[in-house]
């Protein structure tokens, strides 16, 4: 899917973020430091990572600047309220950059941290895929610690099956 209008992309991306926020709302405040294995991202790291990558890699790159992503550790925000505020703050900063993009900017080439060049619209599409990837990891993490997670689109797979009429 080619992104040809920033005015249609932004509402779409808002819906992606709304689904992520619904999931973050069920994260237990005492579980931010949980990881499935030593040395892997904690739940808090995952949340900070989504925020910092969006702001300091994707937004900077589409603005024509190099990535300034430096990680996602607790030094950026620690504690449930601080992590959620940080997540929202960086998203607002990113959205200000994205709102300034024109349709012509979407076709302009940007250079990724891996030194690949691609149209800005493709980089924005990669950003959405990145968020969805990490949101899926959070779903798994939360399920591993016994947290009931919200269905992504309103119904769980079991509810869809229950509503489906046999042939």
């Amino acid at each position: 899917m080619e992104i040809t209008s920033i005015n249609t992309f932004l509402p779409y991306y808002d819906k992606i973020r709304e689904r992520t926020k619904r999931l973050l709302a069920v994260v237990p405040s005492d579980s931010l430091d949980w990881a499935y294995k030593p040395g892997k991202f904690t739940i808090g790291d995952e949340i900070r990572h989504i925020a910092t990558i969006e702001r300091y890699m994707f937004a900077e790159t589409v603005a024509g600047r190099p990535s300034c992503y430096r990680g996602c550790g607790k030094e950026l925000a620690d504690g449930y309220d601080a992590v959620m505020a940080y997540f929202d703050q960086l998203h607002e900063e990113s959205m200000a950059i994205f709102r300034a993009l024109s349709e012509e900017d979407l076709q302009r080439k940007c250079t990724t941290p891996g030194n690949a060049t691609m149209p800005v619209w493709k980089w924005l599409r990669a950003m959405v895929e990145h968020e969805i990837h990490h949101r899926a990891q959070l779903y798994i993490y939360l399920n591993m610690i016994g947290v009931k997670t919200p269905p992504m689109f309103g119904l769980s797979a079991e509810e869809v099956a229950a509503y489906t009429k046999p042939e």
Side-chain angles (χ1 to χ4, degrees), residues 1 5 18 21 36 44-45 53 56-57 77 82 89 97 105 128 138 144 148 155 164:
M1 169 191 91
S5 166
E18 285 172 20
K21 292 283 288 183
Y36 70 94
D45 291 337
I53 279 287
Y56 297 122
M57 186 182 77
Q89 173 196 334
I97 291 168
D105 288 330
V128 172
L138 283 167
M144 289 174 76
K148 181 170 173 38
L155 295 175
T164 302

Side-chain angles (χ1 to χ4, degrees), residues 60-132:
E60 286 299 300
T61 303
V62 301
R65 299 182 292 264
S67 169
C68 56
Y69 174 79
R70 299 283 182 256
C72 56
K74 287 172 82 167
E75 69 280 359
L76 299 172
D78 192 14
Y80 185 84
D81 291 338
V83 169
M84 296 307 163
Y86 183 75
F87 186 84
D88 291 338
Q89 173 196 334
L90 266 55
H91 180 62
E92 280 310 310
E93 291 176 15
S94 298
M95 292 301 285
I97 291 168
F98 302 148
R99 283 185 202 104
L101 295 172
S102 67
E103 274 63 28
E104 294 77 28
D105 288 330
L106 294 174
Q107 300 305 319
R108 174 178 45 81
K109 301 279 187 192
C110 65
T111 302
T112 71
N115 211 30
T117 57
M118 66 180 65
V120 164
W121 72 265
K122 280 189 179 181
W123 194 231
L124 290 172
R125 184 178 65 187
M127 177 184 69
V128 172
E129 292 174 10
H130 179 267
E131 180 162 332
I132 292 167

Side-chain angles (χ1 to χ4, degrees), residues 2 12-13 19 25 30 33 49 52-53 57 59 65 67 92 110 113 135 140 142 150 153 159 167:
E2 182 175 351
Y12 163 73
Y13 188 48
R19 288 192 280 276
D30 61 351
D33 293 331
H49 178 70
T52 54
I53 279 287
M57 186 182 77
R65 299 182 292 264
S67 169
E92 280 310 310
C110 65
R135 184 175 64 216
I140 292 168
L142 293 170
F153 299 111
E159 291 168 328
E167 291 184 34

Side-chain angles (χ1 to χ4, degrees), residues 15-26 135-136 138-140 142-143 147-161 163:
K15 288 183 183 354
I16 298 294
R17 183 49 58 104
E18 285 172 20
R19 288 192 280 276
T20 301
K21 292 283 288 183
R22 275 197 304 272
L23 180 63
L24 297 187
V26 303
R135 184 175 64 216
L138 283 167
Y139 267 100
I140 292 168
L142 293 170
N143 280 292
V147 174
K148 181 170 173 38
T149 54
M152 194 174 316
F153 299 111
L155 295 175
S156 68
E158 296 79 12
E159 291 168 328
V160 171
Y163 290 126

